[in-house]
Amino acid sequence: MSSQNLPPALCLTRPVRLGIDVGTYSTGYGWAILKPDSAPGTRREISLKRSWPGAPPDAVKTLTRLLLNTDGSVVAFGYDAQRKGESRNAGGKNSGLRLVEAIKVRLGRAPDPALHNTITLGQYTDLPERSLALFLTQVYQHAVADIARAGYNEEQIQVCITVPAVFTDHQKQLVRHAAYAAGISREKGALILALEPEAAAQYALTSGVRIGSGIDAVPVDLAAPGTRFIVVDCGGGTIDITAYRCDGDGITEIGKVGGGWCGGAYLNAAFENLVLKPHFGGDNMYEKLRERFPAAVRSMRDAWEQVKRDITVDHNESLYLQIPADIAVNLTPRVKKRLKDRQDGQATQLIVTAAEVHAVFAAVIPQVVDLVDQQLAVVVEEFGALETPENVLLVGGFAESAYLRRSLTDHFAGRAKILTPPDPSIAVVAGAVHFACEPETRARRVRFSYGIEIAKDFDENAGHPEAYKKVVDGKAMCFNVFRPHARAGDIIPTTHEATARYWPTSSKQDRIQFDVYRSTDRNPEYVTDPTCHYIGSLRRLEPGHRLGQKPPWRRGAFPLWGNRDRRVGLCHPNRPAGARRVRLRQTRISRRVIP
């Protein structure tokens, strides 16, 4: 969302810009005061939250975890939820509590078998969007309290929440609904979303950080005009990638937004599948331990989470992780004997060999390397190769992995410089604040083709299907035609508005509904193509009538109203001058479905 689309008075009424980065593993926020006379690109003083309940000293993020009662009420969140959950064995059959984690990777998606073991719900189930709303409520209340101590009230806050670049429109909408349920205002402009790699790019441009790729390397100024760089946001659930070019007065997105579900949480899942399960008796025995002692199993995963950051590609030593008493005591004699046999008689510690460590990283790292390789190929193919190596900026919590950084550095030697800010985990948080203050992005590449369903004059020579033919007022028309308003791959300014003229297909038609579709194809022909997905309908609301209420019919008004059972066509722009004009930007989405 561009700042040019916000109400003119918003900068004065909501001068506090709050950025929230909700990650799969951890969450943080920061805020700044927007001064009306500040110039674009100004370095801002950002206040980061550094005192989370139950967290280690000076932690800028807390764990994205909720501890809930059986009635769904919140007992604790973040590190506090982790501590209380362990002490009360949350998730066990008799604990009466459940610890919810990995919320973001489940939002708007089918259950991911690869992450089944990293999600603790005990014997309960719940919608991830509700869990997100409960978690955001806790975070937002803390933020409002912090900002209130600086002399500002809630009505003066504009909130920016970051989302993965791989999120669909439906998933973004779920984030918005969760934010509203958490108490964030529904007023226009009070809530905006920012893509995580774009927020990181804002941080790189406005933080003043000149990033070097080594001790003796010359720092790279990413804000220099003409500089282009690829942003790789390495989060807990997703790897989000795109590329930008600095144009002096802002940045232009020149890459194709991409990524995959192969973040740090999948590395933890690989650790469970390749290390914990084989050591603790296989799938069945491991599942029994998870069911009876979920807190003990989580402590093993968290121990791996801490040590994995410092493991390098030339790692050649075994790791020694303490086995919790609940697990050690309740292993069957057969499993305990096998554990001792493979660990030279040791059964109180889990010994992870160097080969096993490399096998865990090998399950995830190649996927990340391939994603960066694909993005680099897109940029070079479309904009040409540079005389100097490309810049690849790593941000996010997973970017702290020495193994990941070295793997990328070795793979792209001579082709790209792998750059990492001093604290990559806060880049997205700080970038969200900068984005809320003044988005530096001047143009973006469209990920999908967006358009509506219309009717055109039927033409056999144009290949119109006979099944889509319908005679209206004595004239043959072809329905189900996809009329694009934006094509996938186009680079469009953030202030651009797409408008078009449409006319009713029949002189007797009294209501019009616009059915909106998106497609991964750049040039789809029909809305029935396999690449097309229906995402919603548009209608005009008459003054004094609410969304969802049937507006009164009056001659000449052409109110936009209808449903999927009674659709009416729109005619291609080929009607006599003076016919009624309908502007898409004056309509609203009436309902949404999962794409």
Side-chain angles (χ1 to χ4, degrees):
M1 182 175 186
S2 173
S3 60
Q4 290 88 341
N5 296 328
L6 300 179
L10 186 66
C11 292
L12 299 177
T13 59
R14 295 186 180 271
V16 182
R17 302 304 162 92
L18 170 64
I20 303 177
D21 174 29
V22 181
T24 299
Y25 181 76
S26 59
T27 295
Y29 70 77
W31 54 280
I33 307 301
L34 179 62
K35 299 178 181 179
D37 56 347
S38 60
T42 302
R43 294 182 62 180
R44 303 174 180 93
E45 182 178 349
I46 298 177
S47 300
L48 296 174
K49 175 70 172 178
R50 296 182 181 273
S51 57
W52 295 96
D58 203 37
V60 295
K61 285 190 172 183
T62 191
L63 299 178
T64 309
R65 296 180 180 178
L66 277 173
L67 186 63
L68 304 179
N69 268 321
T70 53
D71 62 358
S73 60
V74 177
V75 177
F77 79 105
Y79 280 101
D80 205 26
Q82 171 76 2
R83 179 179 58 83
K84 293 180 179 178
E86 288 180 352
S87 65
R88 297 170 62 178
N89 194 32
K93 286 186 175 180
N94 300 319
S95 69
L97 298 174
R98 47 184 167 144
L99 187 69
V100 183
E101 55 185 324
I103 299 171
K104 193 168 71 170
V105 297
R106 298 184 291 127
L107 196 65
R109 300 176 67 214
D112 192 337
L115 288 182
H116 173 71
N117 291 334
T118 66
I119 301 171
T120 304
L121 290 175
Q123 64 270 43
Y124 306 96
T125 57
D126 205 348
L127 291 174
E129 49 265 40
R130 180 181 181 275
S131 300
L132 179 60
L134 293 174
F135 182 78
L136 275 176
T137 299
Q138 303 299 316
V139 174
Y140 183 59
Q141 287 176 353
H142 274 260
V144 170
D146 284 349
I147 294 170
R149 284 191 285 269
Y152 295 90
N153 57 44
E154 188 175 357
E155 288 71 27
Q156 295 176 288
I157 302 174
Q158 183 197 48
V159 182
C160 176
I161 299 178
T162 61
V163 294
V166 297
F167 262 21
T168 64
D169 294 333
H170 172 64
Q171 288 170 307
K172 294 174 186 176
Q173 191 73 347
L174 290 178
V175 173
R176 291 188 183 94
H177 289 320
Y180 295 144
I184 297 175
S185 173
R186 292 176 177 267
E187 179 185 347
K188 182 178 180 181
L191 170 67
I192 59 176
L193 302 184
L195 299 182
E196 289 169 357
E198 186 165 332
Q202 306 288 328
Y203 169 77
L205 292 176
T206 58
S207 64
V209 175
R210 294 168 60 85
I211 305 169
S213 56
I215 297 176
D216 301 323
V218 177
V220 177
D221 185 4
L222 298 180
T227 302
R228 70 188 192 194
F229 55 97
I230 296 173
V231 178
V232 185
D233 179 28
C234 308
T238 60
I239 301 294
D240 294 311
I241 305 178
T242 189
Y244 298 94
R245 181 185 63 233
C246 185
D247 297 328
D249 61 342
I251 57 175
T252 296
E253 184 182 48
I254 60 174
K256 291 184 177 179
V257 172
W261 299 88
C262 52
Y266 289 83
L267 194 68
N268 297 347
F271 173 73
E272 288 188 277
N273 293 326
L274 300 178
V275 178
L276 294 184
K277 288 182 179 180
H279 281 75
F280 294 148
D283 291 354
N284 292 336
M285 183 64 188
Y286 187 75
E287 287 302 315
K288 291 179 181 178
L289 291 174
R290 287 186 65 251
E291 183 178 351
R292 294 183 60 193
F293 311 107
V297 173
R298 283 195 301 271
S299 68
M300 295 293 294
R301 292 203 316 264
D302 290 340
W304 162 255
E305 178 72 30
Q306 295 303 315
V307 300
K308 74 180 184 183
R309 302 178 185 182
D310 299 323
I311 296 174
T312 61
V313 294
D314 53 0
H315 180 83
N316 58 6
E317 297 178 351
S318 296
L319 299 178
Y320 293 83
L321 306 178
Q322 189 68 34
I323 299 177
D326 284 339
I327 294 179
V329 172
N330 288 280
L331 292 176
T332 64
R334 183 178 179 181
V335 171
K336 187 175 295 186
K337 182 179 183 305
R338 291 175 57 187
L339 181 63
K340 287 183 177 181
D341 290 344
R342 69 186 301 171
Q343 296 192 164
D344 296 328
Q346 173 67 265
T348 59
Q349 287 183 310
L350 180 67
I351 302 176
V352 187
T353 65
E356 290 173 327
V357 169
H358 289 291
V360 170
F361 279 94
V364 175
I365 298 298
Q367 300 178 54
V368 182
V369 173
D370 288 343
L371 290 172
V372 180
D373 227 340
Q374 294 169 18
Q375 188 69 218
L376 182 60
V378 168
V379 173
V380 172
E381 179 182 356
E382 187 163 345
F383 297 94
L386 299 175
E387 296 181 359
T388 58
E390 299 281 350
N391 300 304
V392 177
L393 178 64
L394 298 184
V395 297
F398 194 19
E400 296 180 355
S401 168
Y403 201 110
L404 174 62
R405 295 199 302 267
R406 179 64 181 274
S407 298
L408 291 171
T409 300
D410 291 346
H411 182 82
F412 292 102
R415 292 192 294 154
K417 291 177 289 187
I418 307 301
L419 312 174
T420 308
D423 191 349
S425 63
I426 70 166
V428 177
V429 178
V433 180
H434 290 301
F435 184 89
C437 289
E438 175 58 37
E440 298 290 335
T441 308
R442 297 294 178 256
R444 297 187 179 93
R445 185 187 289 270
V446 182
R447 185 177 174 186
F448 300 100
S449 294
Y450 288 93
I452 64 172
E453 177 188 352
I454 65 167
K456 297 176 65 174
D457 294 342
F458 189 85
D459 185 356
E460 288 185 355
N461 297 327
H464 290 167
E466 190 71 25
Y468 297 161
K469 180 180 179 181
K470 183 178 179 181
V471 178
V472 181
D473 289 347
K475 187 174 185 179
M477 306 289 293
C478 179
F479 283 71
N480 296 322
V481 177
F482 184 95
R483 163 68 168 162
H485 277 255
R487 297 187 184 275
D490 285 350
I491 297 177
I492 299 178
T494 54
T495 56
H496 175 73
E497 291 184 355
T499 61
R501 293 185 179 186
Y502 297 97
W503 291 266
T505 56
S506 168
S507 59
K508 299 179 180 179
Q509 186 173 330
D510 59 4
R511 293 166 183 160
I512 301 178
Q513 175 173 311
F514 295 87
D515 290 332
V516 185
Y517 292 80
R518 78 173 190 194
S519 173
T520 54
D521 190 355
R522 178 171 172 80
N523 297 298
E525 293 188 72
Y526 305 100
V527 298
T528 55
D529 290 352
T531 61
C532 286
H533 297 277
Y534 170 76
I535 60 175
S537 296
L538 299 172
R539 67 180 70 167
R540 186 195 300 272
L541 295 179
E542 291 298 300
H545 288 81
R546 299 185 303 273
L547 192 64
Q549 180 183 11
K550 178 179 176 180
W553 163 245
R554 58 184 178 85
R555 185 175 299 277
F558 283 101
L560 302 184
W561 178 83
N563 55 50
R564 295 290 291 172
D565 298 324
R566 184 183 177 184
R567 293 190 310 187
V568 291
L570 301 176
C571 190
H572 189 270
N574 189 23
R575 284 300 191 208
R580 187 169 302 281
R581 180 181 184 184
V582 179
R583 299 176 68 88
L584 278 181
R585 62 183 179 183
Q586 295 176 343
T587 64
R588 293 179 60 185
I589 293 179
S590 64
R591 64 187 182 92
R592 301 186 65 84
V593 298
I594 298 178

